[in-house]
Amino acid sequence: MIETICSIELPVGENLQIKKNRITCENATGKEGRIVIVSGIHGDELEGQYVCYEMTRRLKEHPEYLKGIVDLYPAVNPLGMDLAQRNVPKLEMDMNRIFPGSTEGAVMERAAAALVDDIVGADICIDVHASDKFVKEIPQVRVSEDFAKRLLPFAKLMNVDMIWLNATATVHESTLAHTMNMLGVPTLVVEMGLGTRINRSYGNQVVDGIFYLMREMGLWSGPVTEVKQPLVSTDGEVEFIRAGHSGIFLPSIEHHHRIRKGDKIGEIIDVLTGTVTQEIVAQKDGLVFTLREYPFVYEGALLARILTGIKGGFERCL
């Protein structure tokens, strides 16, 4: 059932609307558990669109297996999604920095407050994100260290390749995830893929994980795919590789692969002079879980993130 959880009049004579699709089990008693899937907080992150579609498709295909309630919010920043723009257009506001919002605030603050109010009471929330257009991410769950003890058991069932504890974007106090965790709703942040793109393989991997999680929570009785065991960043450390010069970055490695100390990560070239201005070499063994896709870089731009210090276990992710 499609429901409008928020409708706010805009100065241009239109309405900002946030909608959800609620899918309820047959013969509901009102005491069922509830899982929430949120997507589209950032308008240029489209991976969650496929996740919501595939969740709905599978649930409609086998409604007899559903034992709870699934709430899907595909586009909580509809203005940004209309333009494939990360922030709220014109306002240049990052919606994921205004939670929990305010019922008496500006338009997007009221929208954020309405979303929070609608999610409260759920048994778990999955906040699906993608990367930006510059770097590509492997499927991962990002968890604030403050909530790790409660969230890790859920995160390990999500069929992702990695769990990144204490990721900076996740621990920000004004995010949806932090707000919902503070309000008692266990909330996982899923990150994968590339901005303005959809990777169906990644999406299917995460959807398989969501159904596995639902089965473990008693919300699904149908068949599920066995999930992979993720690497957890507490077992190692995350190394950030940044550009030392401006120019064109040409990677020499593949995304989602293990590298060894001394392996060439890539080079930055000067097109005008035909020279290599920087050769980037790995300083440690590790797993490349973030790799730059957009070739033009400025000094300081992120080129790669590598999970280092892991002893064995890389075959789980290859």
Side-chain angles (χ1 to χ4, degrees), residues 1-7 16-24 34 36-37 69-76 78 114-115 117-119:
M1 179 174 62
I2 308 300
E3 301 178 21
T4 299
I5 68 160
C6 175
S7 182
L16 177 133
Q17 294 186 336
I18 298 177
K19 297 184 178 183
K20 75 174 180 183
N21 183 7
R22 167 163 286 188
I23 303 174
T24 305
R34 176 163 66 108
V36 167
I37 315 295
I69 298 170
V70 179
D71 279 341
L72 299 153
Y73 305 76
V76 298
L115 178 64
D117 184 63
D118 204 64
I119 295 173

Side-chain angles (χ1 to χ4, degrees), residues 4 16 54 78 88 133 139 175 183:
T4 299
L16 177 133
E54 185 64 10
V88 180
K133 68 178 181 180
T175 60
L183 292 173

Side-chain angles (χ1 to χ4, degrees), residues 15-318:
N15 286 330
L16 177 133
Q17 294 186 336
I18 298 177
K19 297 184 178 183
K20 75 174 180 183
N21 183 7
R22 167 163 286 188
I23 303 174
T24 305
C25 63
E26 299 172 344
N27 303 314
T29 65
K31 298 180 180 180
E32 288 75 22
R34 176 163 66 108
I35 184 171
V36 167
I37 315 295
V38 177
S39 174
I41 287 180
H42 295 134
D44 61 348
E45 298 179 359
L46 306 181
E47 300 284 9
Q49 300 298 291
Y50 180 76
V51 170
C52 288
Y53 160 77
E54 185 64 10
M55 288 291 302
T56 303
R57 187 191 69 79
R58 295 190 194 184
L59 289 166
K60 288 170 65 177
E61 191 173 61
H62 290 290
E64 70 275 13
Y65 294 139
L66 181 61
K67 304 303 177 185
I69 298 170
V70 179
D71 279 341
L72 299 153
Y73 305 76
V76 298
N77 175 9
L79 301 178
M81 298 213 71
D82 283 347
L83 300 177
Q85 179 177 314
R86 178 180 177 84
N87 293 337
V88 180
K90 300 298 183 182
L91 301 176
E92 292 306 317
M93 176 187 295
D94 185 341
M95 189 176 181
N96 212 26
R97 294 296 182 269
I98 62 174
F99 288 98
S102 170
T103 56
E104 304 298 326
V107 170
M108 295 312 297
E109 290 178 304
R110 283 183 280 158
L115 178 64
V116 169
D117 184 63
D118 204 64
I119 295 173
V120 166
D123 295 284
I124 192 164
C125 175
I126 312 294
D127 182 15
V128 183
H129 289 260
S131 186
D132 54 31
K133 68 178 181 180
F134 299 104
V135 296
K136 186 177 183 180
E137 302 280 0
I138 67 173
Q140 61 198 262
V141 171
R142 298 185 177 181
V143 174
S144 167
E145 199 170 57
D146 294 338
F147 307 109
K149 185 176 181 180
R150 185 181 188 190
L151 296 182
L152 268 176
F154 296 117
K156 290 179 178 179
L157 302 177
M158 282 292 296
N159 201 37
V160 293
D161 300 310
M162 174 183 166
I163 299 172
W164 188 3
L165 289 180
N166 217 18
T168 302
T170 304
V171 301
H172 197 289
E173 292 184 359
S174 297
T175 60
L176 174 67
H178 187 275
T179 296
M180 299 317 305
N181 279 309
M182 289 295 292
L183 292 173
V185 179
T187 301
L188 304 174
V189 176
V190 173
E191 185 98 13
M192 61 179 167
L194 189 67
T196 69
R197 298 291 186 271
I198 289 177
N199 186 315
R200 293 179 69 175
S201 176
Y202 286 175
N204 287 329
Q205 178 180 336
V206 168
V207 170
D208 286 345
I210 293 173
F211 274 98
Y212 191 94
L213 174 63
M214 287 172 59
R215 189 190 69 172
E216 295 301 298
M217 297 180 66
L219 303 176
W220 179 256
S221 62
V224 295
T225 301
E226 287 301 312
V227 298
K228 59 177 65 181
Q229 183 182 359
L231 294 169
V232 182
S233 65
T234 49
D235 298 331
E237 59 185 36
V238 175
E239 183 172 359
F240 290 72
I241 309 297
R242 297 189 180 275
H245 298 268
S246 298
I248 299 295
F249 173 62
L250 302 177
S252 302
I253 57 176
E254 295 292 331
H255 184 239
H256 202 176
H257 278 67
R258 184 179 183 178
I259 60 172
R260 302 287 186 181
K261 180 180 180 181
D263 286 350
K264 184 177 178 180
I265 294 173
E267 56 191 16
I268 297 175
I269 61 172
D270 185 319
V271 177
L272 183 63
T273 62
T275 58
V276 175
T277 58
Q278 183 185 2
E279 185 173 272
I280 303 105
V281 176
Q283 302 302 308
K284 300 177 181 178
D285 296 352
L287 175 73
V288 180
F289 71 92
T290 303
L291 185 63
R292 190 172 185 90
E293 291 273 333
Y294 192 78
F296 189 81
V297 297
Y298 290 104
E299 182 180 351
L302 179 66
L303 303 179
R305 281 190 286 243
I306 301 172
L307 181 61
T308 66
I310 301 294
K311 297 179 181 180
F314 279 95
E315 66 278 359
R316 299 192 307 237
C317 293
L318 300 181

